[in-house]
Amino acid sequence: MKRAIRDMTIADRVLLVMLLALSLTGIFIVREAVPLTAEVIVEVDGRAVFTAPLDADKNVLLDSIHGKIGIEIKDRMVRINEAHCPNRLCMKEGWVSQGVIVCLPNKVVVFVGGRGNRLNKELDAVTG
Amino acid sequence: MPLQDKYRIAVLSAYALVLHGFEAILPMPIPWLRLGLANIITVVALLLYGFRTAMTVTLIRIILASMFTGTFLGPAFMLSLGGGVASTLAVGSVHALSQGLFGPVGLSLIGSFFHNAAQLALAYLLFIQRIEAVLLISPVIFLIGTSTGAVNGLIADLLLKNIRKPVPDKV
């Protein structure tokens, strides 16, 4: 192995150092430049029916148990703006930027955030 | 194609297949991480017998390996084929153009870089379609690829020295 390392040409060494430096700096540059975009995941009755990035404004109507349910994404926040359940607690929850909105009668769960929220949910599913 | 070439291609393909299969059963901390050991054979084939042999061996290896593992024409096969063809093309053209500027290590590094670049591009076009996810992961992939590529290059260098030893004026 020592001989092989010694026999690397100058171009080999330059290329190796360049690639290492580029990818290392790339890790930090990308981390700064690209924010970890959070996601909105809507589950109805345990099945994910809608997924969207949090940073794009959107307004959707999804089918749930009691008619349609309206999900609005605006300014990296999410709210439920339409529901046909008795109490409409989910609508009273208002704008949420991180966490979950739950609507029990409709069996709707809106996850707001990155993959972390989903991971937590999976852990709950295993332990509970 | 002379008979001797066929033997060479068959033997090199067999080596590459074994390495490909061997690294598939190695436990890895990250599931998609591969060592790319079979690329040692691509570099060796290129330096010993030229571009056409290297490309033939790579194609045979990828197609046969995917048939053995049952992923032929599946998504993993597309990524594998794209990466293999792109890296062999890149390594072959660099080797032809640079006139011995790069040794096995440099060629292996170029191969790993283009392998990863092609796979990332394919993964983006075919499966992920979220540019920020690809951008986030690509420097990490290139870092790992550079490390494994360097080690593979060193192994290829040792292998070439061993093959060339008994007949020093073979190439």
Side-chain angles (χ1 to χ4, degrees):
Chain A
M1 209 56 167
K2 262 185 192 160
R3 254 187 71 200
I5 293 173
R6 206 188 53 219
D7 286 352
M8 282 164 71
T9 68
I10 295 163
D12 288 351
R13 286 160 206 261
V14 172
L15 186 69
L16 176 60
V17 173
M18 257 174 53
L19 281 176
L20 283 179
L22 269 177
S23 48
L24 271 176
T25 49
I27 289 175
F28 292 105
I29 290 172
V30 163
R31 221 160 255 169
E32 290 296 310
V34 185
L36 262 171
T37 47
E39 273 196 326
V40 180
I41 302 157
V42 182
E43 286 186 0
V44 178
D45 206 5
R47 284 180 304 111
V49 291
F50 174 75
T51 312
L54 189 59
D55 50 5
D57 292 356
K58 214 170 220 173
N59 213 334
V60 286
L61 275 178
L62 301 169
D63 289 319
S64 63
I65 312 285
H66 298 283
K68 299 271 183 190
I69 187 158
I71 316 280
E72 186 180 359
I73 306 173
K74 201 180 171 191
D75 298 331
R76 300 184 61 78
M77 306 245 269
V78 184
R79 72 164 174 177
I80 293 183
N81 61 4
E82 188 185 330
H84 302 285
C85 45
N87 290 329
R88 304 200 180 170
L89 286 171
C90 48
M91 287 173 68
K92 287 181 190 144
E93 189 111 356
W95 291 101
V96 167
S97 59
Q98 183 82 44
V100 288
I101 310 175
V102 182
C103 179
L104 274 184
N106 276 325
K107 293 192 181 175
V108 168
V109 186
V110 181
F111 294 92
V112 189
R115 284 167 57 222
N117 279 14
R118 256 191 151 164
L119 275 179
N120 287 340
K121 197 207 129 219
E122 277 164 24
L123 279 180
D124 273 2
V126 171
T127 51
Chain B
M1 192 182 280
L3 194 61
Q4 214 182 359
D5 282 7
K6 282 185 188 165
Y7 287 147
R8 282 171 184 161
I9 288 171
V11 168
L12 286 168
S13 303
Y15 281 136
L17 257 173
V18 168
L19 286 174
H20 192 108
F22 173 67
E23 71 172 20
I25 58 171
L26 279 180
M28 278 288 146
I30 319 168
W32 40 259
L33 176 65
R34 307 205 69 189
L35 297 175
L37 292 175
N39 296 316
I40 297 169
I41 302 298
T42 306
V43 171
V44 169
L46 177 78
L47 287 176
L48 283 181
Y49 306 119
F51 174 72
R52 286 186 58 163
T53 309
M55 188 54 110
T56 317
V57 166
T58 306
L59 286 175
I60 290 175
R61 188 249 305 171
I62 291 168
I63 292 170
L64 281 186
S66 72
M67 282 179 173
F68 290 157
T69 54
T71 53
F72 186 54
L73 295 183
F77 169 76
M78 299 291 178
L79 290 182
S80 190
L81 184 70
V85 170
S87 77
T88 311
L89 274 176
V91 172
S93 33
V94 167
H95 180 60
L97 294 174
S98 68
Q99 305 283 338
L101 184 63
F102 293 106
V105 179
L107 293 176
S108 175
L109 284 171
I110 292 162
S112 93
F113 178 83
F114 278 92
H115 197 279
N116 286 327
Q119 290 204 328
L120 282 167
L122 273 175
Y124 171 65
L125 289 174
L126 296 177
F127 309 116
I128 306 178
Q129 281 163 355
R130 285 185 56 186
I131 192 75
E132 71 272 13
V134 176
L135 277 179
L136 265 177
I137 195 75
S138 52
V140 181
I141 288 182
F142 282 128
L143 183 64
I144 300 172
T146 304
S147 331
T148 57
V151 173
N152 287 344
L154 291 173
I155 298 172
D157 193 30
L158 288 176
L159 190 56
L160 280 165
K161 284 198 177 86
N162 264 305
I163 293 171
R164 283 168 175 166
K165 211 185 281 169
V167 198
D169 52 353
K170 194 172 181 182
V171 180

